[in-house]
């Protein structure tokens, strides 16, 4: 964290100095904005926190409720989401408050008493080496609170405009005209009062849930199937003799399935309770099911152990169903590539599924993490509007993969366990659920996303230079040591949610200052060439790292590196005093016990080159998108390929003047 560049600052460094005109806050909801976010669920709050980083972009958020969500429905936080929260500077707070899912246990009917359950297995919840972060549990409402607090502390001073619900969106034929959103003022219960107003927006993002008004306004609808199966869910303070009460537990009893998720705070526990099949078309299960019904079903499934609820924080009933829209923006299929999108939908507005895979909140957040930096790039005049079409193209595929996984997992966890004494009774074997859970571990950790080759993701011609940084997947962090101050760090933790691209240059065998250093030649190209992306696409007067954050990883130990011999490009002068940035260079030293985020099972002789298979002789350039996904792996000498990649979607800053593009 750097916060003294423009002079000594006193106080909380997470509170940024207010942008011009924002000292007194953002003011009332204006008639015109650049981006209007509708809804403050997981998708909406991530987008708000990201766009708040750009005070020159007028972003506003509307919510029909009169205040923040007090109790959230979702709670499972994947490893990938924790990685993303680190980019917002929120991972430490999240981990401090969270329940860590360290182990998962599996229970099935006892061979001695089919009416009771017995433990059949227990495993580590997240396999070694998948991420430096664990799978954790934190209430959705608290996560949204963290993100909104981040937005309010930004230079934008972005706050939610509560008490407005969207009634519809009008998209004019003129592609340069603003979209009109009609809003209705709501009362204390979130219901409309009849008083309406409009807001004109360049872009609208509907994060307004499964009954999305924005989705309906752009002619999209959810497609899929209901499984005609009901589940109850309850957050309770239990008294029980169940021995695994503070572990995640998957239980398949003769009377039905039960999924137990311990919650943050030390005592709260969530139970997903199988309520059985429903007649086709039956939609009254919510009205006729009571909390007592859910508790009784859980008690029966937990036999011979006992369960009593001393307090109930929240409960609900839902039907299993998986649905996804046919597009995540307002452009019809026949007009893709002709029209640029202006209205988007994200999260539950475009994909719904069961809660048991624990992915709904996580995938929703990743939706807008994908979209936010693209909106910023277009509104800042750094990329053409056609960039925005990649959002639907990339995220719809991920949603379909989620639906497919959820269908398989829901069927598996809802299946009865076969009776070895009655092979004709059918069902799954007791160890099938555990095997299925292990096989899906990468997916549930949020790490199975692979973006296909496209405008923003290159090919795999040079993947062999760094096979551990797979093109199209999230950048897989590993330990390094910062040269200037010997600080051990996770390399991926330098990545902030600020819309910048990261160029991680892994040095070749030659010393960086030598004549035959490929790394040295790359740095010279980036610094001085007219074809350099840094020179072409960084706005005039902005710091060299305003668009591209270049980091060098050297093979030398940090003590053998003389800062005064490094290329000046790696020690850029910044701020009004021209102070040097000493945080651009790292050493790929062998890890040892004191390193931050040491990966479980890591050998003390391994460094980042070993862990990710980086070619020690030739080095590699790993290009990472603003949303932390690997866009390219290139040779250090592939200057033309690097320049051409960015030229395909970025605007030369000598041509475009920024926000005044219509």
């Amino acid at each position: 964290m750097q916060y003294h560049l423009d002079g000594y600052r006193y106080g909380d460094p997470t509170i940024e100095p207010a942008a011009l005109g924002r000292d007194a806050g953002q003011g009332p909801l204006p008639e015109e904005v650049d981006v209007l976010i509708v809804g403050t669920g997981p998708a909406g709050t991530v987008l708000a926190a990201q766009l708040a980083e750009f005070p020159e972009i007028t972003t506003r958020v509307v919510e029909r409720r009169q205040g923040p969500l007090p109790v959230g429905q979702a709670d499972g936080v994947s490893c990938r989401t924790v990685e993303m929260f680190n980019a917002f500077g929120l991972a430490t707070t999240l981990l401090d408050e969270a329940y860590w899912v360290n182990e998962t246990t599996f229970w099935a009917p006892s061979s001695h008493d089919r009416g009771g359950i017995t433990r059949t297995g227990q495993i580590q919840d997240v396999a070694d080496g998948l991420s430096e972060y664990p799978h954790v549990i934190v209430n959705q409402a608290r996560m949204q609170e963290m993100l909104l607090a981040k937005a309010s502390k930004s230079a934008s001073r972005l706050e939610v405009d509560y008490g407005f619900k969207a009634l519809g969106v009008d998209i004019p034929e003129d592609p340069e005209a603003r979209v009109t959103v009609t809003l209705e003022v709501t009362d204390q219960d979130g219901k409309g009062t009849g008083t309406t107003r409009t807001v004109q927006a360049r872009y609208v993002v509907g994060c307004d849930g499964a009954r999305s008004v924005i989705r309906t306004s752009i002619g999209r609808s959810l497609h899929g199937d209901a499984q005609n199966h009901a589940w109850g869910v309850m957050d309770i303070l239990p008294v029980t003799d169940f021995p695994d009460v503070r572990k995640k537990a998957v239980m398949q009893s003769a009377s039905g399935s039960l999924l137990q998720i311990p919650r943050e705070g030390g005592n709260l526990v969530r139970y997903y309770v199988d309520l059985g099949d429903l007649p086709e078309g039956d939609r009254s299960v919510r009205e006729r099911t009571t909390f007592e019904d859910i508790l009784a079903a859980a008690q029966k499934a937990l036999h011979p152990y006992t369960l009593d609820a001393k307090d109930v924080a929240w409960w609900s009933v839902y039907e299993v169903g998986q649905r996804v829209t046919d597009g995540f923006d307002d452009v019809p299929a026949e007009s893709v590539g002709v029209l640029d999108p202006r209205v988007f939908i994200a999260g539950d507005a475009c994909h719904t599924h069961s809660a048991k895979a624990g992915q709904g909140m996580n995938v929703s957040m990743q939706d807008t993490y994908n979209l936010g930096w693209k909106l910023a790039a277009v509104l800042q005049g750094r990329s053409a509007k056609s960039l925005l079409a990649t959002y639907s193209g990339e995220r719809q595929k991920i949603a379909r993969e989620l639906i497919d996984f959820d269908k398989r997992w829901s069927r598996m966890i809802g299946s009865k366990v076969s009776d070895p004494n009655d092979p004709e009774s059918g069902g799954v074997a007791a160890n099938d659920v555990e095997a299925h859970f292990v096989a899906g571990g990468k997916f549930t950790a949020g790490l199975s996303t692979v973006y296909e080759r496209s405008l923003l993701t290159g090919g795999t011609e040079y993947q062999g230079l760094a096979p551990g940084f797979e093109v199209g997947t999230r950048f897989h962090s590993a330990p390094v040591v910062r040269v200037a101050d010997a600080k051990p760090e996770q390399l991926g933790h330098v990545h902030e949610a600020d819309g910048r691209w990261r160029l991680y240059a892994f040095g070749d065998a030659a010393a960086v200052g030598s004549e035959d250093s490929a790394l040295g030649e790359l740095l010279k190209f980036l610094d001085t060439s007219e074809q350099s992306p840094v020179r072409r696409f960084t706005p005039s007067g902005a710091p060299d790292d305003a668009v591209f954050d270049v980091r060098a990883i050297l093979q030398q130990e940090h003590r053998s590196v003389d800062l005064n011999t490094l290329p000046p490009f790696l020690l850029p002068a910044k701020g009004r005093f021209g102070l040097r940035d000493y945080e651009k260079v790292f050493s790929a030293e062998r890890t040892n016990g004191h390193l931050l985020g040491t990966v479980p099972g890591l050998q003390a002789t391994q460094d980042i080159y070993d862990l990710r298979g980086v070619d020690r002789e030739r080095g590699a350039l790993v290009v990472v998108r603003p949303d932390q996904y690997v866009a390219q792996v290139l040779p250090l000498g592939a200057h033309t390929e690097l320049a051409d990649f960015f030229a395909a979607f970025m605007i030369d800053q000598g041509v475009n003047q920024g926000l005044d593009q219509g």
Side-chain angles (χ1 to χ4, degrees):
M1 181 180 292
Q2 298 176 340
Y3 47 89
H4 293 313
L5 279 176
D6 295 317
Y8 174 74
R9 276 181 55 195
Y10 172 80
D12 184 352
T14 66
I15 302 176
E16 299 178 27
L20 185 65
R22 303 290 178 89
D23 289 303
Q26 65 180 1
L29 183 63
E31 294 183 357
E32 291 188 352
V33 300
D34 292 315
V35 181
L36 184 68
I37 303 168
V38 180
T40 58
T45 50
V46 164
L47 186 58
Q50 188 165 25
L51 291 180
E53 292 298 305
F54 310 99
E56 68 277 15
I57 296 173
T58 303
T59 301
R60 297 302 283 256
V61 187
V62 295
E63 166 60 51
R64 64 173 179 81
R65 292 188 300 268
Q66 295 295 324
L69 181 72
V71 179
Q73 298 178 5
D75 60 1
V77 186
S78 71
C79 304
R80 174 71 194 109
T81 297
V82 184
E83 293 175 0
M84 181 193 72
F85 261 58
N86 185 74
F88 284 105
L90 300 172
T92 299
T93 301
L94 182 72
L95 293 175
D96 285 346
E97 296 184 15
Y99 167 81
W100 292 33
V101 187
N102 297 309
E103 290 188 341
T104 297
T105 66
F106 299 86
W107 294 71
S110 170
S111 59
H112 304 295
D113 176 13
R114 296 289 295 176
I117 57 173
T118 187
R119 188 191 295 118
T120 58
Q122 54 185 332
I123 62 171
Q124 183 175 307
D125 188 76
V126 178
D128 286 345
L130 282 183
S131 174
E132 71 275 21
Y133 285 124
H135 170 203
V136 300
I137 305 296
V138 176
N139 186 274
Q140 170 189 337
R142 177 62 180 132
M143 295 186 70
Q144 293 172 188
E145 182 182 25
M146 293 180 194
L147 290 163
L148 293 177
K150 169 73 173 176
S152 70
K153 294 178 181 179
S154 72
S156 299
R157 297 295 190 265
L158 180 60
E159 304 267 2
V160 178
D161 291 294
Y162 291 106
F164 293 100
K165 74 172 183 178
L167 297 181
V169 175
D170 178 43
I171 306 172
E173 291 186 6
D174 181 358
E176 301 301 319
R178 293 175 184 261
V179 173
T180 300
V181 184
T182 301
L183 303 174
E184 183 178 16
V185 177
T186 61
D187 61 19
Q188 291 299 316
D189 297 321
K191 298 179 180 179
T193 62
T195 301
T196 63
R197 60 160 297 179
T198 60
V199 174
Q200 309 288 320
R202 283 179 170 164
Y203 298 104
V204 177
V205 186
C207 306
D208 50 339
R211 296 179 176 84
S212 171
V213 170
I214 304 301
R215 181 187 66 231
T216 302
S217 293
I218 62 174
R220 300 289 188 186
S221 57
L222 291 167
H223 303 283
D225 302 305
Q227 300 301 312
N228 299 316
H229 198 98
W231 286 74
V233 56
M234 57 183 182
D235 286 337
I236 64 173
L237 296 176
V239 172
T240 178
D241 57 354
F242 182 60
D244 291 345
V245 67
R246 293 308 295 170
K247 294 181 180 179
K248 179 180 176 181
V250 180
M251 292 163 270
Q252 290 179 292
S253 74
S255 66
S257 299
L258 185 65
L259 177 61
Q260 173 188 274
I261 309 289
R263 297 289 302 273
E264 68 278 21
N267 299 102
L268 196 66
V269 181
R270 171 166 291 187
Y271 292 95
Y272 290 98
V273 186
D274 187 354
L275 298 179
D277 291 332
L278 298 172
E280 187 170 352
D282 183 357
R283 296 294 179 266
S284 64
V285 65
R286 290 175 183 245
E287 289 74 27
R288 68 173 185 267
T289 303
T290 66
F291 167 75
E292 288 71 23
D293 294 332
I294 299 172
L295 179 61
Q299 291 169 330
K300 187 175 182 181
L302 204 61
H303 180 76
Y305 303 102
T306 61
L307 175 68
D308 187 20
K310 293 299 183 181
D311 191 33
V312 183
W314 173 78
W315 69 275
S316 186
V317 178
Y318 68 92
E319 303 165 61
V320 176
Q322 294 92 6
R323 299 178 177 86
V324 64
T325 61
D326 52 358
F328 289 10
D329 61 36
D330 62 310
V331 178
E334 64 273 14
S335 299
V336 172
V338 178
L339 298 177
D340 297 318
R342 288 180 280 174
V343 181
F344 308 86
I345 50 177
D348 285 356
C350 45
H351 49 78
T352 62
H353 30 79
S354 80
K356 292 181 294 300
Q359 294 303 299
M361 176 172 66
N362 297 284
V363 175
S364 295
M365 288 181 167
Q366 292 296 324
D367 284 347
T368 48
Y369 196 42
N370 177 291
L371 176 61
W373 68 269
K374 298 173 182 178
L375 285 168
V378 170
L379 285 165
Q380 289 181 323
R382 295 187 287 106
S383 290
K385 295 176 181 179
S386 56
L387 176 70
L388 300 175
T390 64
Y391 165 68
S392 183
E394 290 181 334
R395 294 307 298 174
Q396 190 181 17
K397 174 179 177 291
I398 304 306
R400 289 196 179 112
E401 291 173 354
L402 168 62
I403 296 300
D404 291 342
F405 178 85
D406 187 58
K407 286 180 178 179
R408 295 192 301 271
W409 179 238
S410 293
R411 282 196 296 267
M412 179 61 66
I413 197 174
S415 299
K416 70 175 183 178
V417 176
S418 59
D419 184 352
N421 299 318
D422 184 11
E424 300 299 321
S425 63
V428 299
N431 60 354
D432 284 348
V433 176
E434 180 178 343
H436 193 88
F437 179 87
V438 172
K442 194 170 183 179
F443 190 97
T444 54
L447 304 174
S448 64
T449 295
V450 182
Y451 289 132
E452 297 176 346
R453 187 166 188 165
S454 67
L455 183 70
L456 298 173
T457 305
T460 58
E461 296 89 337
Y462 303 109
Q463 186 69 78
L465 291 173
F469 295 120
E470 183 183 351
V471 174
T473 68
R474 74 59 161 109
F475 181 80
H476 192 178
S477 184
V480 291
V481 174
R482 196 162 65 197
V483 166
D485 58 359
K487 181 184 178 183
E489 278 200 285
Q490 284 281 344
L491 182 60
H493 293 189
V494 306
H495 194 124
E496 300 175 22
D498 55 11
R500 292 188 294 169
W501 288 76
R502 265 68 190 183
L503 305 184
Y504 296 106
F506 289 84
D508 51 313
V512 67
S514 64
E515 292 184 359
D516 56 347
S517 168
L519 174 58
E521 286 300 308
L522 171 66
L523 296 172
K524 181 179 178 181
F525 166 75
L526 292 173
D527 190 17
T528 63
S529 173
E530 292 183 356
Q531 297 305 309
S532 163
V534 175
R535 298 296 162 228
R536 288 186 62 187
F537 305 122
T538 301
S540 177
D544 283 350
D545 62 357
V547 178
F548 301 97
D549 182 13
V550 181
R551 307 278 178 151
I553 301 90
L554 310 180
Q555 296 190 48
Q556 301 101 301
E557 291 189 356
H558 73 277
R559 291 176 180 171
S560 67
V561 178
D562 183 350
L563 292 180
N564 291 323
T565 65
L566 294 174
F569 186 70
L570 292 178
L571 298 167
K574 299 168 68 174
R576 66 189 182 105
F577 296 119
L579 302 178
R580 294 291 176 185
D581 185 342
Y582 292 101
E583 300 183 359
K584 301 292 188 183
V585 187
F586 300 87
S587 168
E589 293 189 29
R590 303 294 194 267
T591 59
N592 52 57
H594 78 280
L595 275 180
L596 175 68
T598 298
V599 179
L602 192 62
Q603 299 298 315
T605 57
Q606 293 177 307
D607 66 9
I608 193 170
Y609 279 72
D610 300 319
L611 292 168
R612 304 295 173 253
V614 180
D615 191 308
R616 289 190 179 275
E617 184 64 29
R618 295 180 291 173
L621 176 64
V622 181
V623 180
V624 181
R625 297 163 27 149
D627 55 3
Q628 298 175 299
Y629 282 82
V630 177
Q632 288 269 32
V633 173
L634 295 171
L636 293 172
H639 303 169
T640 300
E641 290 96 323
L642 179 67
D644 289 347
F645 173 72
F646 287 110
F649 59 86
M650 285 191 170
I651 296 172
D652 193 304
Q653 292 305 291
V655 175
N656 190 277
Q657 298 302 312
L659 284 171
D660 295 328
Q661 61 170 319

